[in-house]
Amino acid sequence: MYQKKFEELELRDDFIFGKVMRNKAICKKILEILLGIQIEDIEYPETQKAINITYQGKSVRLDVYVEDDKSSIYNAEMQQKGDEENIRQLPKRSRYYQGMIDLNLIEKGLPYTALSTSYVIFICTFDPFGKGNYQYTFRALCQEDTTFALEDGSTRIFFNTKGNLEEAPEELRKLLQYIETTQPESTFTQQLDREVKRAKQNEKWRREYMKELLHDFDMKEEGRREGKEEGREEGKQEVNLLNQLLAEQNRMEDIIRSAQDAEYQKKLFEEFQI
């Protein structure tokens, strides 16, 4: 699978999305546009919030986790199309995120009344349900009387940048179009575009992105090696040495490319005479 270079990242990429949402004013405005509400203030935007309920339990890392002045919780995630299995799992992933947020809020023995109003938001660059809608909003309704809602304070919303945007409110339409096309068509999306460009000029974030890619590749390589015979230990040591030499020269993109391209890795072996 092709991995984008840092310079190629867009708002639709969760790494840049998380960084852009660190801008308090932009984070607040995006939430207002998506939800069609006014938010008085954001206490703090917290990006990449990790929630660990138990030592052995599965943790979750949220792209954007925000609490407003009324203690409402907003979790926003950017989702690009993966394989069919990942798409099928998206509804249950949203359920899991909602559950983890709730457990995090009351894990210290507080009563259920301590649960805040919460929104789990997925911005998808594909149609997650195949209905053509630009927005899918889910709340608990009584099956015997669908005019009666459970009113438990939880809402899960899926946005679709490829949906029929003609009936969408203007600001929402232009925001979703910008995510889809990267072409700003409003004052706010122009501001958003400048913030994306500013984020891609941040050298600290560039290094962070490269480290994340390397970590992902290491995890994949570890998975491939599980169960294989020990006879490949020598090859593993050669790759580790190559990566060390490349890292010393800050050639992170070469490390990433070599992990995907065996011929390119062979070329690098020859360069370093390994």
Side-chain angles (χ1 to χ4, degrees):
M1 179 180 178
Y2 175 73
Q3 297 289 345
K4 287 185 176 180
K5 296 181 180 179
F6 187 72
E7 296 80 4
E8 299 173 329
L9 295 180
E10 304 165 359
L11 186 64
R12 65 169 58 200
D13 297 292
D14 57 1
F15 184 88
I16 287 294
F17 178 65
K19 300 307 183 188
V20 167
M21 293 291 271
R22 288 188 177 185
N23 183 313
K24 184 176 179 179
I26 283 183
C27 180
K28 176 176 173 293
K29 183 66 174 178
I30 285 179
L31 291 173
E32 289 178 331
I33 291 173
L34 291 175
L35 300 175
I37 62 176
Q38 293 294 315
I39 300 174
E40 186 69 23
D41 189 28
I42 292 175
E43 288 190 7
Y44 59 93
E46 184 175 349
T47 57
Q48 296 288 337
K49 178 177 178 64
I51 298 178
N52 297 281
I53 300 301
T54 63
Y55 177 73
Q56 294 182 329
K58 180 179 175 64
S59 65
V60 61
R61 190 176 71 169
L62 307 178
D63 283 352
V64 178
Y65 184 93
V66 171
E67 182 176 353
D68 70 11
D69 58 298
K70 297 179 181 179
S71 298
S72 296
I73 302 297
Y74 306 88
N75 164 226
E77 305 287 322
M78 194 67 74
Q79 293 290 318
Q80 297 207 57
K81 188 172 183 179
D83 57 33
E84 294 301 319
E85 181 63 23
N86 287 334
I87 296 174
R88 284 195 297 269
Q89 290 179 358
L90 198 57
K92 290 193 175 180
R93 184 189 301 177
S94 72
R95 172 183 168 183
Y96 184 72
Y97 284 12
Q98 180 67 66
M100 292 292 279
I101 290 170
D102 289 344
L103 288 172
N104 184 62
L105 290 171
I106 62 171
E107 65 173 330
K108 296 182 179 179
L110 294 176
Y112 296 122
T113 53
L115 289 174
S116 303
T117 297
S118 63
Y119 299 86
V120 174
I121 303 164
F122 285 83
I123 305 171
C124 304
T125 60
F126 58 94
D127 190 338
F129 303 107
K131 302 293 185 180
N133 295 357
Y134 66 85
Q135 178 176 342
Y136 302 89
T137 303
F138 296 90
R139 297 188 181 96
L141 296 176
C142 176
Q143 293 299 303
E144 289 73 26
D145 181 359
T146 55
T147 64
F148 174 58
L150 189 59
E151 301 292 351
D152 63 354
S154 65
T155 302
R156 284 180 274 170
I157 307 175
F158 301 78
F159 291 95
N160 168 25
T161 64
K162 290 183 171 62
N164 183 0
L165 302 179
E166 293 181 1
E167 297 182 0
E170 183 179 4
E171 282 195 304
L172 177 58
R173 173 174 56 81
K174 290 182 177 179
L175 174 60
L176 295 179
Q177 284 178 339
Y178 172 71
I179 294 171
E180 177 67 21
T181 67
T182 71
Q183 300 301 312
E185 297 183 0
S186 67
T187 300
F188 176 66
T189 53
Q190 288 171 358
Q191 178 187 358
L192 190 54
D193 190 58
R194 288 193 296 270
E195 190 68 14
V196 170
K197 289 182 171 64
R198 187 192 68 81
K200 292 196 292 185
Q201 293 171 356
N202 189 308
E203 288 302 318
K204 179 181 177 182
W205 291 348
R206 176 194 295 273
R207 292 192 295 270
E208 183 180 333
Y209 177 70
M210 300 303 294
K211 287 180 180 178
E212 285 192 10
L213 288 186
L214 286 173
H215 178 265
D216 290 343
F217 280 123
D218 286 343
M219 294 298 291
K220 290 176 182 178
E221 285 300 312
E222 183 178 345
R224 292 190 189 103
R225 288 194 293 266
E226 285 183 359
K228 291 186 178 181
E229 297 181 2
E230 296 180 359
R232 304 193 62 179
E233 185 64 25
E234 182 179 349
K236 174 183 173 182
Q237 291 174 355
E238 291 176 348
V239 171
N240 288 342
L241 175 58
L242 174 62
N243 288 343
Q244 180 181 342
L245 292 169
L246 290 168
E248 289 173 355
Q249 299 183 17
N250 199 30
R251 294 169 58 176
M252 298 302 178
E253 292 186 8
D254 285 328
I255 296 176
I256 293 169
R257 183 176 172 185
S258 71
Q260 302 175 85
D261 188 335
E263 288 300 317
Y264 188 69
Q265 186 181 86
K266 183 179 179 181
K267 180 180 177 181
L268 292 171
F269 281 146
E270 294 174 353
E271 176 184 339
F272 286 97
Q273 297 182 348
I274 295 176

